[in-house]
């Protein structure tokens, strides 16, 4: 081969090689992120998700990208948002913020892998076939606290034995509302309590619900677990303080915001575990083979400052069982 022809051939190979190499590079995987909350209310839980994701080797903006859809506590929007996400062909959908979000993702696609983080029983909700072998395209994390509401009522009764009229704040749009209501009624019969259920499915309705409770002259309040309520711990604690209404909440964040007492799970751990599962699926594992993880740690937090402002003396036995006492 002549020298000029050889150089021309080398130049052609060099020019074609970068295009060929780029064509062979795998596409960056995409996470479709669906939440019933907002970017503002979920900011610290989203940080926990990213921490779990990073432990599997995935960093947003580096080797994975995310497409977010927020419902801003409007559960009716989740179906359309989930459908929109599924059409964008994500590698995996992460559905957080309660069972409504997970159900919307499940309805939107039977093929795209789904990781959910919910409070409730995923088998009863129809999300998976079984806990150990989910089957299908969905798996995730559940906080199954079948007796949390009952324990909350027991704790209130121990703290305020003379309180017999108890209000219950419920979001009727939460699929777990029926189960929680039934458990509360059963516990109330055992403890000799009367329950007054009030509904709220938007942040504005929370104010109306508190006004109804005050008019009903309830002695204390149980706030059911729900993504909407979890987004507004400061508002709920503030309303309870304004109306001098003792209340028990499902998560520590409420007690830290000034609520009297909390009994329940951890809001960030399920998101962290969802991040780990999302990363494992990105690496090639199948949702059908990943068992449901259950976040079962329950903590009791008491805000003594709030108790003093309400004129409530917390029993020593209750303080002794508390995982944290805020003074």
């Amino acid at each position: 081969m002549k020298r000029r022809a050889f150089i021309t051939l080398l130049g052609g190979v060099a020019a074609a090689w970068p295009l060929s190499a780029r064509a062979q590079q795998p596409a960056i995987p995409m996470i479709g992120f669906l939440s019933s909350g907002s970017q503002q209310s979920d900011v610290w839980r989203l940080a926990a998700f990213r921490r779990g994701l990073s432990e599997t080797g995935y960093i947003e903006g580096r080797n994975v990208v995310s497409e977010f859809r927020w419902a801003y506590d409007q559960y009716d929007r989740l179906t359309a948002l989930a459908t929109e996400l599924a059409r964008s062909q994500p590698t995996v959908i992460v559905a957080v913020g309660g069972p409504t979000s997970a159900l919307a993702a499940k309805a939107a696609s039977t093929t795209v892998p789904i990781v959910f983080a919910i409070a409730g029983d995923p088998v009863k909700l129809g999300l998976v076939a079984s806990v150990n072998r989910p089957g299908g395209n969905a798996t995730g994390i559940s906080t199954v606290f079948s007796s949390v509401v009952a324990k909350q009522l027991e704790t209130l009764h121990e703290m305020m034995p003379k309180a017999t009229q108890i209000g219950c704040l419920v979001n009727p749009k939460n699929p777990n509302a029926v189960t929680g209501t039934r458990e509360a009624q059963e516990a109330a019969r055992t403890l000799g309590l009367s329950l007054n259920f009030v509904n709220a499915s938007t942040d504005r309705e929370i104010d109306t619900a508190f006004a109804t409770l005050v008019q009903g002259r309830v002695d204390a309040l149980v706030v059911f677990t729900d993504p909407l309520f979890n987004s507004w711990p400061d508002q709920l604690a503030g309303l309870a303080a304004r109306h001098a209404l003792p209340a028990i909440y499902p998560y520590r964040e409420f007690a830290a915001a000034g609520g009297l007492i909390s009994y329940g799970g951890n809001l960030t751990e399920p998101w962290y575990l969802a991040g780990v599962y999302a990363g494992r699926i990105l690496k090639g594992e199948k949702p059908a083979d990943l068992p449901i993880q259950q976040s079962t740690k329950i903590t009791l937090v008491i805000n003594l400052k709030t108790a003093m402002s309400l004129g409530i003396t917390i029993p020593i036995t209750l303080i002794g069982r508390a995982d944290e006492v805020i003074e």
Side-chain angles (χ1 to χ4, degrees):
M1 182 182 295
K2 294 184 178 180
R3 183 172 181 272
R4 179 176 296 176
F6 180 71
I7 293 174
T8 301
L9 177 62
L10 285 179
V13 171
W17 179 82
L19 294 175
S20 175
R22 285 196 295 270
Q24 293 176 3
Q25 289 178 353
I28 296 179
M30 184 181 82
I31 297 173
F33 197 92
L34 178 68
S35 173
S36 62
S38 67
Q39 191 170 6
Q40 293 73 30
S41 65
D42 288 346
V43 61
W44 41 280
R45 284 171 285 191
L46 186 56
F49 169 80
R50 286 170 171 151
R51 186 171 70 252
L53 186 65
S54 69
E55 291 189 7
T56 65
Y58 287 96
I59 306 294
E60 275 187 307
R62 183 182 302 172
N63 56 357
V64 66
V65 295
S66 296
E67 188 74 18
F68 293 92
R69 294 295 184 276
W70 312 94
Y72 292 92
D73 299 319
Q74 299 176 44
Y75 295 176
D76 295 340
R77 298 181 59 199
L78 286 166
T79 297
L81 293 174
T83 302
E84 190 178 304
L85 265 183
R87 287 174 180 166
S88 67
Q89 298 183 328
T91 312
V92 59
I93 293 176
V94 175
V96 293
T100 309
S101 179
L103 289 167
K106 181 75 173 177
S109 177
T110 58
T111 56
V112 178
I114 297 169
V115 176
F116 55 76
I118 64 168
D121 187 332
V123 177
K124 289 183 178 179
L125 289 167
L127 290 168
V128 297
S130 72
V131 170
N132 293 327
R133 299 285 294 181
N137 64 318
T139 187
I141 295 83
S142 70
T143 53
V144 184
F145 299 133
S146 60
S147 62
V148 164
V149 175
K151 289 294 185 181
Q152 288 174 330
L153 284 169
E154 290 176 11
T155 302
L156 265 184
H157 185 63
E158 180 180 356
M159 182 176 60
M160 303 175 63
K162 294 182 179 180
T164 57
Q165 302 293 323
I166 310 298
C168 295
L169 181 63
V170 184
N171 185 344
K173 293 185 178 180
N174 189 320
N176 292 322
V178 174
T179 301
T181 298
R182 183 174 61 248
E183 292 175 358
Q185 290 170 333
E186 292 173 357
R189 282 193 292 270
T190 302
L191 297 169
L193 304 175
S194 296
L195 301 182
N196 183 354
F197 290 91
V198 292
N199 294 332
S201 56
T202 67
D203 59 319
R204 292 182 179 179
E205 290 179 358
I206 292 175
D207 293 315
T208 304
F210 266 82
T212 302
L213 289 168
V214 172
Q215 291 174 2
R217 297 183 179 276
V218 297
D219 300 313
L221 171 66
V222 176
V223 176
F224 279 36
T225 183
D226 183 81
L228 168 66
F229 304 151
N230 300 343
S231 297
W232 300 95
D234 294 296
Q235 179 186 357
L236 286 163
L239 284 168
R242 185 187 312 165
H243 296 292
L245 184 60
I248 186 166
Y249 307 88
Y251 298 107
R252 179 194 178 277
E253 284 72 18
F254 292 92
L260 174 61
I261 189 168
S262 68
Y263 181 89
N266 186 300
L267 273 176
T268 58
E269 183 186 33
W271 288 52
Y272 162 78
L273 294 173
V276 174
Y277 257 16
R280 290 177 63 176
I281 289 174
L282 291 176
K283 287 179 178 290
E285 295 189 61
K286 304 297 182 184
D289 301 326
L290 294 174
I292 301 298
Q293 295 193 58
Q294 296 189 13
S295 177
T296 57
K297 183 179 180 180
I298 297 177
T299 59
L300 173 65
V301 181
I302 299 171
N303 191 317
L304 282 184
K305 183 178 178 180
T306 300
M308 291 179 60
S309 69
L310 293 170
I312 296 174
T313 301
I314 306 294
I316 295 297
T317 53
L318 197 57
I319 293 178
R321 297 203 308 273
D323 297 277
E324 181 181 358
V325 176
I326 299 173
E327 301 186 48

